[in-house]
Amino acid sequence: MPALADGVGQVGSADSTESTVDVIDVAVIGAGPAGLMAAEVLSAAGWRVDVYDAMPSVGRKFLMAGKGGMNLTHSEPAEPFVSRYGKRADAVGRWLHRFSANDVRSWAHRLGIDTFVGTSGRVFPVDMKAAPLLRAWLSRLRAAGVRLHVRHRWLGWEENESAGPDNLRFATPGGERRVRAKALVLTLGGASWPQLGSDASWVPSLREHGVNVAPLIPANAGFETDWTPLMRERFAGHPVKSVTMTLPDGTTRQGEFVISEHGIEGSLVYAMCAPIRDTIRQHGSAQIFLDLLPDWTPERVMAEVSRPRGSRSMASHLQSRLGIAGVKAALLRECLPRETFNDPAALAAGIKRLPLTLLRTRPIAEVISSAGGVALEALDERLMIRTLPGVFCAGEMLDWEAPTGGYLLTACFASACVAADGAAAYLAYLASLDTRQ
């Protein structure tokens, strides 16, 4: 049985030329965090697990996300934590009963990875890196007997054959390979960062077999606006700190974001992404409002703006009296009419409620995550597709979304545990039928 020389992606593999059809207990398709967690839970339950992935190595998006600091989960209390999942909070909350944010930290600690809580409440490994955690995880899976098959792209099901675990087709370097499993867990990801494996190629196969799949759309995305050349060339990449962002419905959050060549991005933008995106989809654009001095009262801003400035320029006046300079001053010039700077009341109002019109969401291929996917209504409480017995789904391919901050990874883990529990129960049921016969 040859090994695969794929660095951290190496767990072990059967030779794809040994047979045309493999008969196994349970197949997990997708070797990202959800797939590996499902494999861990199933192997701990005593089942032989085979994991298949189209890429040459596993966990590529996991490793990429960890380059800026591996954000595992968040430390906030359960109630606000669950609320981050918006319209799907009830469903995701049930998953989190199975595997919570605290369970994520305990799981990492059992792998020998110490964690800490940052000033924002986010939880990170002490070394901030993803690779050591992934290596330790793969080592544990290897010891548990999990087999990984890389460069195995799932082709769906034969057109004239039933869809289910016992009819799986894979394209491999050695040709097409057929697999017959007793249970199947799909963890195929969404549509963001397709170069790392999440290319949504699974959508047609599920839809062709009657599974309701909501359109995949950008989540945790940046937004575009038509900057002037000066704004785009001089301030792209500059952070805008200590501001609040308010939507027309009154929803307000404080934080920071970054000016991009195309518009805005960053943590505050991602936290407000869903309502901004949905407004653009409905109306063609969305107007947000920025408070550039959230710790100042309107009265204080008005008093400072109204002070005589003598021979000083307005730029010098705003910097000396209000500390507004650089990118914040540029935003004022970009978003307010020129005549506003001769009207203290209008200028003070603009500083506290600066209008910015957003026109487009950045393309789904470059955003952090996607929304849409397999409708939760198409699944039972164990995340099995109601119309395809023995086929379970987990992770980002399901129709839910969350902001950055550890919420995405935690829900991927939690849904994988629920789906793996369901698959284990299904396998036990099949085994009981065999015993009766």
Side-chain angles (χ1 to χ4, degrees):
M1 183 179 298
L4 295 172
D6 288 309
V8 296
Q10 179 180 342
V11 176
S13 173
D15 189 335
S16 62
T17 64
E18 288 179 357
S19 63
T20 56
V21 179
D22 294 335
V23 180
I24 63 174
D25 281 346
V26 56
V28 176
I29 305 180
L36 297 179
M37 182 59 74
E40 180 171 339
V41 172
L42 282 159
S43 63
W47 300 102
R48 184 65 180 268
V49 184
D50 287 74
V51 181
Y52 301 86
D53 196 271
M55 303 302 287
S57 58
V58 308
R60 290 194 167 199
K61 190 173 179 181
F62 182 80
L63 291 172
M64 179 63 74
K67 284 192 172 182
M70 186 68 248
N71 184 193
L72 291 172
T73 188
H74 203 285
S75 63
E76 69 182 351
E79 185 174 346
F81 191 104
V82 171
S83 73
R84 305 301 183 192
Y85 298 95
K87 298 175 182 178
R88 293 300 195 182
D90 289 344
V92 178
R94 291 191 290 272
W95 306 345
L96 294 172
H97 282 300
R98 170 60 176 85
F99 197 81
S100 68
N102 288 334
D103 292 324
V104 173
R105 298 189 72 180
S106 297
W107 167 81
H109 294 165
R110 290 194 298 273
L111 287 171
I113 305 298
D114 291 330
T115 62
F116 74 97
V117 179
T119 55
S120 65
R122 300 183 182 200
V123 176
F124 302 90
V126 168
D127 64 5
M128 300 291 287
K129 298 178 181 178
L133 187 153
L134 184 58
R135 282 195 293 266
W137 194 6
L138 293 177
S139 178
R140 186 160 72 186
L141 291 173
R142 183 188 301 114
V146 173
R147 299 193 304 175
L148 183 78
H149 310 267
V150 295
R151 297 188 176 92
H152 278 59
R153 178 174 293 278
W154 184 49
L155 299 176
W157 296 284
E158 290 284 1
E159 183 177 349
N160 297 322
E161 295 185 26
S162 62
D166 60 347
N167 174 28
L168 304 177
R169 302 168 53 230
F170 296 91
T172 80
E176 184 169 320
R177 186 173 183 177
R178 302 293 295 272
V179 173
R180 295 181 60 189
K182 297 174 183 177
L184 168 64
V185 182
L186 297 174
T187 60
L188 291 160
S192 64
W193 295 3
Q195 69 273 25
L196 302 180
S198 297
D199 60 7
S201 59
W202 52 270
V203 172
S205 293
L206 292 189
R207 284 181 173 163
E208 286 169 7
H209 289 87
V211 180
N212 182 11
V213 180
L216 292 163
I217 56 177
N220 288 298
F223 293 93
E224 298 180 3
T225 191
D226 291 337
W227 293 134
T228 60
L230 177 65
M231 189 72 182
R232 184 170 57 251
E233 294 166 7
R234 290 191 56 186
F235 293 98
H238 286 232
V240 183
K241 297 186 177 182
S242 302
V243 297
T244 60
M245 182 180 294
T246 301
L247 305 184
D249 66 1
T251 302
T252 300
R253 289 183 69 94
Q254 185 166 350
E256 61 183 72
F257 65 92
V258 176
I259 302 295
S260 72
E261 178 184 357
H262 305 285
I264 60 173
E265 59 186 35
S267 58
L268 180 57
V269 178
Y270 303 151
M272 305 285 263
C273 176
I276 296 174
R277 176 200 65 213
D278 294 346
T279 299
I280 292 175
R281 285 166 62 86
Q282 183 176 1
H283 300 290
S285 65
Q287 189 173 60
I288 63 171
F289 301 93
L290 302 173
D291 184 345
L292 301 183
L293 296 174
D295 296 329
W296 289 43
T297 65
E299 293 77 15
R300 182 184 176 192
V301 173
M302 180 62 186
E304 295 298 333
V305 168
S306 300
R307 290 181 183 275
R309 59 186 177 94
S311 61
R312 289 185 305 175
S313 67
M314 178 57 73
S316 296
H317 184 62
L318 290 176
Q319 181 172 2
S320 64
R321 304 307 311 184
L322 294 94
I324 291 179
V327 67
K328 285 188 176 182
L331 278 168
L332 285 176
R333 295 286 184 184
E334 186 80 11
C335 299
L336 295 179
R338 182 184 299 270
E339 57 269 21
T340 303
F341 292 86
N342 296 319
D343 183 341
L347 180 57
I351 291 170
K352 292 297 290 180
R353 189 174 171 84
L354 184 67
L356 176 61
T357 299
L358 303 175
L359 303 175
R360 296 168 294 274
T361 309
R362 290 298 294 161
I364 194 169
E366 70 175 48
V367 304
I368 292 175
S369 61
S370 58
V374 177
L376 300 191
E377 293 75 16
L379 309 171
D380 67 13
E381 68 280 359
R382 290 180 168 177
L383 301 185
M384 185 177 76
I385 298 176
R386 296 181 188 276
T387 56
L388 300 178
V391 181
F392 299 79
C393 299
E396 197 179 330
M397 70 181 294
L398 302 183
D399 184 16
W400 60 276
E401 63 179 307
T404 57
Y407 308 103
L408 290 164
L409 186 57
T410 302
C412 283
F413 283 154
S415 64
C417 290
V418 172
D421 288 346
Y426 183 82
L427 289 164
Y429 169 72
L430 294 181
S432 70
L433 294 181
D434 291 340
T435 301
R436 293 172 192 173
Q437 295 175 354

